[in-house]
PDB file of all heavy atoms in Angstrom:
ATOM      1  N   GLN A   1      23.032   1.011  -2.233  1.00 69.00           N
ATOM      2  CA  GLN A   1      22.740  -0.386  -1.961  1.00 69.00           C
ATOM      3  C   GLN A   1      21.653  -0.519  -0.897  1.00 69.00           C
ATOM      4  O   GLN A   1      20.770  -1.369  -0.994  1.00 69.00           O
ATOM      5  CB  GLN A   1      24.019  -1.114  -1.524  1.00 69.00           C
ATOM      6  CG  GLN A   1      25.082  -1.207  -2.609  1.00 69.00           C
ATOM      7  CD  GLN A   1      24.551  -1.882  -3.863  1.00 69.00           C
ATOM      8  OE1 GLN A   1      23.838  -2.876  -3.797  1.00 69.00           O
ATOM      9  NE2 GLN A   1      24.905  -1.342  -5.029  1.00 69.00           N
ATOM     10  N   LYS A   2      21.712   0.326   0.142  1.00 70.00           N
ATOM     11  CA  LYS A   2      20.685   0.287   1.173  1.00 70.00           C
ATOM     12  C   LYS A   2      19.322   0.643   0.604  1.00 70.00           C
ATOM     13  O   LYS A   2      18.302   0.026   0.943  1.00 70.00           O
ATOM     14  CB  LYS A   2      21.045   1.247   2.311  1.00 70.00           C
ATOM     15  CG  LYS A   2      22.172   0.760   3.203  1.00 70.00           C
ATOM     16  CD  LYS A   2      22.406   1.733   4.339  1.00 70.00           C
ATOM     17  CE  LYS A   2      23.530   1.259   5.251  1.00 70.00           C
ATOM     18  NZ  LYS A   2      23.782   2.201   6.352  1.00 70.00           N
ATOM     19  N   ALA A   3      19.299   1.665  -0.255  1.00 68.00           N
ATOM     20  CA  ALA A   3      18.027   2.090  -0.848  1.00 68.00           C
ATOM     21  C   ALA A   3      17.443   1.003  -1.741  1.00 68.00           C
ATOM     22  O   ALA A   3      16.231   0.764  -1.737  1.00 68.00           O
ATOM     23  CB  ALA A   3      18.231   3.372  -1.651  1.00 68.00           C
ATOM     24  N   MET A   4      18.291   0.309  -2.502  1.00 68.00           N
ATOM     25  CA  MET A   4      17.811  -0.712  -3.425  1.00 68.00           C
ATOM     26  C   MET A   4      17.244  -1.919  -2.689  1.00 68.00           C
ATOM     27  O   MET A   4      16.347  -2.598  -3.197  1.00 68.00           O
ATOM     28  CB  MET A   4      18.936  -1.162  -4.360  1.00 68.00           C
ATOM     29  CG  MET A   4      19.344  -0.119  -5.380  1.00 68.00           C
ATOM     30  SD  MET A   4      20.580  -0.759  -6.531  1.00 68.00           S
ATOM     31  CE  MET A   4      19.590  -1.931  -7.476  1.00 68.00           C
ATOM     32  N   THR A   5      17.760  -2.209  -1.501  1.00 70.00           N
ATOM     33  CA  THR A   5      17.353  -3.411  -0.785  1.00 70.00           C
ATOM     34  C   THR A   5      16.477  -3.128   0.430  1.00 70.00           C
ATOM     35  O   THR A   5      16.022  -4.063   1.083  1.00 70.00           O
ATOM     36  CB  THR A   5      18.588  -4.209  -0.330  1.00 70.00           C
ATOM     37  OG1 THR A   5      19.397  -3.377   0.530  1.00 70.00           O
ATOM     38  CG2 THR A   5      19.437  -4.638  -1.524  1.00 70.00           C
ATOM     39  N   ASN A   6      16.238  -1.852   0.736  1.00 63.00           N
ATOM     40  CA  ASN A   6      15.466  -1.495   1.921  1.00 63.00           C
ATOM     41  C   ASN A   6      14.016  -1.971   1.770  1.00 63.00           C
ATOM     42  O   ASN A   6      13.322  -1.566   0.848  1.00 63.00           O
ATOM     43  CB  ASN A   6      15.501   0.010   2.136  1.00 63.00           C
ATOM     44  CG  ASN A   6      14.794   0.413   3.420  1.00 63.00           C
ATOM     45  OD1 ASN A   6      13.585   0.573   3.426  1.00 63.00           O
ATOM     46  ND2 ASN A   6      15.559   0.566   4.490  1.00 63.00           N
ATOM     47  N   PRO A   7      13.535  -2.841   2.666  1.00 67.00           N
ATOM     48  CA  PRO A   7      12.185  -3.392   2.503  1.00 67.00           C
ATOM     49  C   PRO A   7      11.085  -2.350   2.591  1.00 67.00           C
ATOM     50  O   PRO A   7      10.053  -2.476   1.938  1.00 67.00           O
ATOM     51  CB  PRO A   7      12.095  -4.422   3.644  1.00 67.00           C
ATOM     52  CG  PRO A   7      13.123  -3.998   4.642  1.00 67.00           C
ATOM     53  CD  PRO A   7      14.232  -3.388   3.846  1.00 67.00           C
ATOM     54  N   ARG A   8      11.303  -1.297   3.390  1.00 64.00           N
ATOM     55  CA  ARG A   8      10.277  -0.267   3.511  1.00 64.00           C
ATOM     56  C   ARG A   8      10.142   0.526   2.210  1.00 64.00           C
ATOM     57  O   ARG A   8       9.034   0.801   1.748  1.00 64.00           O
ATOM     58  CB  ARG A   8      10.639   0.678   4.665  1.00 64.00           C
ATOM     59  CG  ARG A   8      10.714   0.003   6.016  1.00 64.00           C
ATOM     60  CD  ARG A   8       9.346  -0.364   6.538  1.00 64.00           C
ATOM     61  NE  ARG A   8       9.407  -0.904   7.885  1.00 64.00           N
ATOM     62  CZ  ARG A   8       8.345  -1.182   8.625  1.00 64.00           C
ATOM     63  NH1 ARG A   8       7.151  -0.978   8.140  1.00 64.00           N
ATOM     64  NH2 ARG A   8       8.497  -1.692   9.836  1.00 64.00           N
ATOM     65  N   MET A   9      11.280   0.895   1.613  1.00 67.00           N
ATOM     66  CA  MET A   9      11.222   1.616   0.351  1.00 67.00           C
ATOM     67  C   MET A   9      10.598   0.748  -0.743  1.00 67.00           C
ATOM     68  O   MET A   9       9.781   1.216  -1.543  1.00 67.00           O
ATOM     69  CB  MET A   9      12.617   2.081  -0.091  1.00 67.00           C
ATOM     70  CG  MET A   9      12.617   2.772  -1.449  1.00 67.00           C
ATOM     71  SD  MET A   9      14.235   3.365  -1.966  1.00 67.00           S
ATOM     72  CE  MET A   9      14.300   4.911  -1.071  1.00 67.00           C
ATOM     73  N   GLN A  10      10.978  -0.523  -0.753  1.00 74.00           N
ATOM     74  CA  GLN A  10      10.402  -1.430  -1.739  1.00 74.00           C
ATOM     75  C   GLN A  10       8.893  -1.533  -1.563  1.00 74.00           C
ATOM     76  O   GLN A  10       8.149  -1.635  -2.554  1.00 74.00           O
ATOM     77  CB  GLN A  10      11.055  -2.815  -1.612  1.00 74.00           C
ATOM     78  CG  GLN A  10      12.529  -2.850  -1.986  1.00 74.00           C
ATOM     79  CD  GLN A  10      12.769  -2.459  -3.431  1.00 74.00           C
ATOM     80  OE1 GLN A  10      11.956  -2.750  -4.299  1.00 74.00           O
ATOM     81  NE2 GLN A  10      13.871  -1.781  -3.685  1.00 74.00           N
ATOM     82  N   ALA A  11       8.420  -1.498  -0.331  1.00 71.00           N
ATOM     83  CA  ALA A  11       6.978  -1.567  -0.088  1.00 71.00           C
ATOM     84  C   ALA A  11       6.258  -0.352  -0.656  1.00 71.00           C
ATOM     85  O   ALA A  11       5.193  -0.473  -1.267  1.00 71.00           O
ATOM     86  CB  ALA A  11       6.706  -1.689   1.418  1.00 71.00           C
ATOM     87  N   ILE A  12       6.859   0.839  -0.460  1.00 73.00           N
ATOM     88  CA  ILE A  12       6.257   2.065  -0.996  1.00 73.00           C
ATOM     89  C   ILE A  12       6.231   2.023  -2.523  1.00 73.00           C
ATOM     90  O   ILE A  12       5.250   2.413  -3.155  1.00 73.00           O
ATOM     91  CB  ILE A  12       7.041   3.299  -0.510  1.00 73.00           C
ATOM     92  CG1 ILE A  12       6.915   3.428   1.010  1.00 73.00           C
ATOM     93  CG2 ILE A  12       6.548   4.561  -1.195  1.00 73.00           C
ATOM     94  CD1 ILE A  12       5.486   3.569   1.500  1.00 73.00           C
ATOM     95  N   ILE A  13       7.313   1.554  -3.129  1.00 81.00           N
ATOM     96  CA  ILE A  13       7.362   1.447  -4.593  1.00 81.00           C
ATOM     97  C   ILE A  13       6.284   0.492  -5.091  1.00 81.00           C
ATOM     98  O   ILE A  13       5.569   0.782  -6.054  1.00 81.00           O
ATOM     99  CB  ILE A  13       8.760   0.984  -5.049  1.00 81.00           C
ATOM    100  CG1 ILE A  13       9.794   2.081  -4.786  1.00 81.00           C
ATOM    101  CG2 ILE A  13       8.749   0.628  -6.537  1.00 81.00           C
ATOM    102  CD1 ILE A  13      11.234   1.650  -5.039  1.00 81.00           C
ATOM    103  N   ARG A  14       6.140  -0.639  -4.425  1.00 80.00           N
ATOM    104  CA  ARG A  14       5.128  -1.625  -4.854  1.00 80.00           C
ATOM    105  C   ARG A  14       3.721  -1.068  -4.723  1.00 80.00           C
ATOM    106  O   ARG A  14       2.863  -1.292  -5.576  1.00 80.00           O
ATOM    107  CB  ARG A  14       5.265  -2.906  -4.029  1.00 80.00           C
ATOM    108  CG  ARG A  14       6.496  -3.739  -4.373  1.00 80.00           C
ATOM    109  CD  ARG A  14       6.383  -5.143  -3.780  1.00 80.00           C
ATOM    110  NE  ARG A  14       6.290  -5.103  -2.322  1.00 80.00           N
ATOM    111  CZ  ARG A  14       7.353  -5.158  -1.514  1.00 80.00           C
ATOM    112  NH1 ARG A  14       8.578  -5.237  -2.015  1.00 80.00           N
ATOM    113  NH2 ARG A  14       7.192  -5.137  -0.209  1.00 80.00           N
ATOM    114  N   GLN A  15       3.480  -0.320  -3.645  1.00 81.00           N
ATOM    115  CA  GLN A  15       2.139   0.193  -3.402  1.00 81.00           C
ATOM    116  C   GLN A  15       1.757   1.339  -4.324  1.00 81.00           C
ATOM    117  O   GLN A  15       0.591   1.490  -4.694  1.00 81.00           O
ATOM    118  CB  GLN A  15       2.025   0.656  -1.944  1.00 81.00           C
ATOM    119  CG  GLN A  15       2.102  -0.463  -0.929  1.00 81.00           C
ATOM    120  CD  GLN A  15       2.282   0.039   0.486  1.00 81.00           C
ATOM    121  OE1 GLN A  15       2.155   1.234   0.747  1.00 81.00           O
ATOM    122  NE2 GLN A  15       2.594  -0.866   1.414  1.00 81.00           N
ATOM    123  N   ASN A  16       2.728   2.174  -4.704  1.00 84.00           N
ATOM    124  CA  ASN A  16       2.417   3.403  -5.423  1.00 84.00           C
ATOM    125  C   ASN A  16       2.856   3.419  -6.882  1.00 84.00           C
ATOM    126  O   ASN A  16       2.516   4.353  -7.612  1.00 84.00           O
ATOM    127  CB  ASN A  16       3.044   4.596  -4.686  1.00 84.00           C
ATOM    128  CG  ASN A  16       2.491   4.765  -3.292  1.00 84.00           C
ATOM    129  OD1 ASN A  16       1.357   5.195  -3.115  1.00 84.00           O
ATOM    130  ND2 ASN A  16       3.268   4.403  -2.292  1.00 84.00           N
ATOM    131  N   VAL A  17       3.623   2.419  -7.290  1.00 88.00           N
ATOM    132  CA  VAL A  17       4.025   2.320  -8.691  1.00 88.00           C
ATOM    133  C   VAL A  17       3.475   1.037  -9.297  1.00 88.00           C
ATOM    134  O   VAL A  17       2.646   1.075 -10.205  1.00 88.00           O
ATOM    135  CB  VAL A  17       5.567   2.369  -8.830  1.00 88.00           C
ATOM    136  CG1 VAL A  17       5.974   2.267 -10.301  1.00 88.00           C
ATOM    137  CG2 VAL A  17       6.110   3.667  -8.231  1.00 88.00           C
ATOM    138  N   HIS A  18       3.930  -0.104  -8.798  1.00 89.00           N
ATOM    139  CA  HIS A  18       3.470  -1.407  -9.286  1.00 89.00           C
ATOM    140  C   HIS A  18       3.928  -2.461  -8.288  1.00 89.00           C
ATOM    141  O   HIS A  18       5.019  -2.342  -7.719  1.00 89.00           O
ATOM    142  CB  HIS A  18       4.061  -1.697 -10.671  1.00 89.00           C
ATOM    143  CG  HIS A  18       3.486  -2.897 -11.340  1.00 89.00           C
ATOM    144  ND1 HIS A  18       3.897  -4.173 -11.046  1.00 89.00           N
ATOM    145  CD2 HIS A  18       2.529  -3.020 -12.306  1.00 89.00           C
ATOM    146  CE1 HIS A  18       3.213  -5.040 -11.790  1.00 89.00           C
ATOM    147  NE2 HIS A  18       2.378  -4.363 -12.561  1.00 89.00           N
ATOM    148  N   PRO A  19       3.113  -3.506  -8.064  1.00 89.00           N
ATOM    149  CA  PRO A  19       3.506  -4.531  -7.094  1.00 89.00           C
ATOM    150  C   PRO A  19       4.845  -5.197  -7.392  1.00 89.00           C
ATOM    151  O   PRO A  19       5.538  -5.651  -6.475  1.00 89.00           O
ATOM    152  CB  PRO A  19       2.354  -5.554  -7.179  1.00 89.00           C
ATOM    153  CG  PRO A  19       1.193  -4.761  -7.652  1.00 89.00           C
ATOM    154  CD  PRO A  19       1.754  -3.733  -8.571  1.00 89.00           C
ATOM    155  N   ASP A  20       5.218  -5.261  -8.680  1.00 90.00           N
ATOM    156  CA  ASP A  20       6.466  -5.911  -9.055  1.00 90.00           C
ATOM    157  C   ASP A  20       7.523  -4.932  -9.566  1.00 90.00           C
ATOM    158  O   ASP A  20       8.459  -5.332 -10.266  1.00 90.00           O
ATOM    159  CB  ASP A  20       6.195  -6.979 -10.127  1.00 90.00           C
ATOM    160  CG  ASP A  20       5.273  -8.072  -9.624  1.00 90.00           C
ATOM    161  OD1 ASP A  20       5.482  -8.529  -8.485  1.00 90.00           O
ATOM    162  OD2 ASP A  20       4.343  -8.455 -10.347  1.00 90.00           O
ATOM    163  N   ALA A  21       7.389  -3.652  -9.226  1.00 90.00           N
ATOM    164  CA  ALA A  21       8.356  -2.652  -9.686  1.00 90.00           C
ATOM    165  C   ALA A  21       9.692  -2.814  -8.963  1.00 90.00           C
ATOM    166  O   ALA A  21       9.737  -3.109  -7.771  1.00 90.00           O
ATOM    167  CB  ALA A  21       7.815  -1.243  -9.455  1.00 90.00           C
ATOM    168  N   THR A  22      10.772  -2.620  -9.701  1.00 86.00           N
ATOM    169  CA  THR A  22      12.113  -2.686  -9.130  1.00 86.00           C
ATOM    170  C   THR A  22      12.960  -1.546  -9.689  1.00 86.00           C
ATOM    171  O   THR A  22      12.673  -1.018 -10.767  1.00 86.00           O
ATOM    172  CB  THR A  22      12.817  -4.020  -9.460  1.00 86.00           C
ATOM    173  OG1 THR A  22      12.856  -4.181 -10.883  1.00 86.00           O
ATOM    174  CG2 THR A  22      12.079  -5.193  -8.831  1.00 86.00           C
ATOM    175  N   ILE A  23      13.999  -1.178  -8.952  1.00 88.00           N
ATOM    176  CA  ILE A  23      14.934  -0.166  -9.423  1.00 88.00           C
ATOM    177  C   ILE A  23      15.815  -0.782 -10.507  1.00 88.00           C
ATOM    178  O   ILE A  23      16.318  -1.900 -10.352  1.00 88.00           O
ATOM    179  CB  ILE A  23      15.803   0.355  -8.273  1.00 88.00           C
ATOM    180  CG1 ILE A  23      14.913   1.049  -7.229  1.00 88.00           C
ATOM    181  CG2 ILE A  23      16.866   1.327  -8.778  1.00 88.00           C
ATOM    182  CD1 ILE A  23      15.636   1.403  -5.947  1.00 88.00           C
ATOM    183  N   VAL A  24      16.001  -0.084 -11.609  1.00 90.00           N
ATOM    184  CA  VAL A  24      16.843  -0.574 -12.702  1.00 90.00           C
ATOM    185  C   VAL A  24      18.254  -0.806 -12.171  1.00 90.00           C
ATOM    186  O   VAL A  24      18.859   0.076 -11.560  1.00 90.00           O
ATOM    187  CB  VAL A  24      16.859   0.425 -13.868  1.00 90.00           C
ATOM    188  CG1 VAL A  24      17.910   0.047 -14.902  1.00 90.00           C
ATOM    189  CG2 VAL A  24      15.481   0.468 -14.533  1.00 90.00           C
ATOM    190  N   SER A  25      18.783  -1.990 -12.421  1.00 87.00           N
ATOM    191  CA  SER A  25      20.115  -2.366 -11.952  1.00 87.00           C
ATOM    192  C   SER A  25      20.997  -2.743 -13.132  1.00 87.00           C
ATOM    193  O   SER A  25      20.550  -2.736 -14.287  1.00 87.00           O
ATOM    194  CB  SER A  25      20.016  -3.548 -10.979  1.00 87.00           C
ATOM    195  OG  SER A  25      19.553  -4.710 -11.658  1.00 87.00           O
ATOM    196  N   VAL A  26      22.238  -3.096 -12.859  1.00 87.00           N
ATOM    197  CA  VAL A  26      23.160  -3.440 -13.944  1.00 87.00           C
ATOM    198  C   VAL A  26      22.686  -4.658 -14.725  1.00 87.00           C
ATOM    199  O   VAL A  26      22.976  -4.803 -15.915  1.00 87.00           O
ATOM    200  CB  VAL A  26      24.593  -3.672 -13.419  1.00 87.00           C
ATOM    201  CG1 VAL A  26      25.198  -2.373 -12.944  1.00 87.00           C
ATOM    202  CG2 VAL A  26      24.603  -4.723 -12.313  1.00 87.00           C
ATOM    203  N   GLU A  27      21.936  -5.538 -14.069  1.00 88.00           N
ATOM    204  CA  GLU A  27      21.439  -6.732 -14.761  1.00 88.00           C
ATOM    205  C   GLU A  27      20.391  -6.390 -15.808  1.00 88.00           C
ATOM    206  O   GLU A  27      20.122  -7.194 -16.712  1.00 88.00           O
ATOM    207  CB  GLU A  27      20.844  -7.727 -13.757  1.00 88.00           C
ATOM    208  CG  GLU A  27      21.867  -8.412 -12.866  1.00 88.00           C
ATOM    209  CD  GLU A  27      22.317  -7.530 -11.716  1.00 88.00           C
ATOM    210  OE1 GLU A  27      21.665  -6.488 -11.472  1.00 88.00           O
ATOM    211  OE2 GLU A  27      23.320  -7.871 -11.063  1.00 88.00           O
ATOM    212  N   ASN A  28      19.766  -5.205 -15.694  1.00 89.00           N
ATOM    213  CA  ASN A  28      18.692  -4.821 -16.604  1.00 89.00           C
ATOM    214  C   ASN A  28      19.163  -4.080 -17.841  1.00 89.00           C
ATOM    215  O   ASN A  28      18.372  -3.859 -18.761  1.00 89.00           O
ATOM    216  CB  ASN A  28      17.678  -3.920 -15.875  1.00 89.00           C
ATOM    217  CG  ASN A  28      17.105  -4.548 -14.625  1.00 89.00           C
ATOM    218  OD1 ASN A  28      17.014  -3.892 -13.597  1.00 89.00           O
ATOM    219  ND2 ASN A  28      16.732  -5.815 -14.692  1.00 89.00           N
ATOM    220  N   VAL A  29      20.438  -3.652 -17.881  1.00 90.00           N
ATOM    221  CA  VAL A  29      20.909  -2.823 -18.985  1.00 90.00           C
ATOM    222  C   VAL A  29      21.758  -3.645 -19.953  1.00 90.00           C
ATOM    223  O   VAL A  29      22.168  -4.773 -19.651  1.00 90.00           O
ATOM    224  CB  VAL A  29      21.699  -1.604 -18.471  1.00 90.00           C
ATOM    225  CG1 VAL A  29      20.790  -0.664 -17.695  1.00 90.00           C
ATOM    226  CG2 VAL A  29      22.865  -2.037 -17.597  1.00 90.00           C
ATOM    227  N   ASN A  30      22.019  -3.063 -21.106  1.00 91.00           N
ATOM    228  CA  ASN A  30      22.742  -3.809 -22.139  1.00 91.00           C
ATOM    229  C   ASN A  30      24.230  -3.954 -21.777  1.00 91.00           C
ATOM    230  O   ASN A  30      24.725  -3.300 -20.867  1.00 91.00           O
ATOM    231  CB  ASN A  30      22.555  -3.152 -23.506  1.00 91.00           C
ATOM    232  CG  ASN A  30      23.188  -1.776 -23.597  1.00 91.00           C
ATOM    233  OD1 ASN A  30      24.236  -1.504 -23.023  1.00 91.00           O
ATOM    234  ND2 ASN A  30      22.551  -0.884 -24.333  1.00 91.00           N
TER     235      ASN A  30
END
């Protein structure tokens, strides 16, 4: 939960993967 919501990690993901990239969560799966 900390990793999914950590603003610093989210910043690295946005900068190096995609600005709107997110970790796949239960809401994203069937």
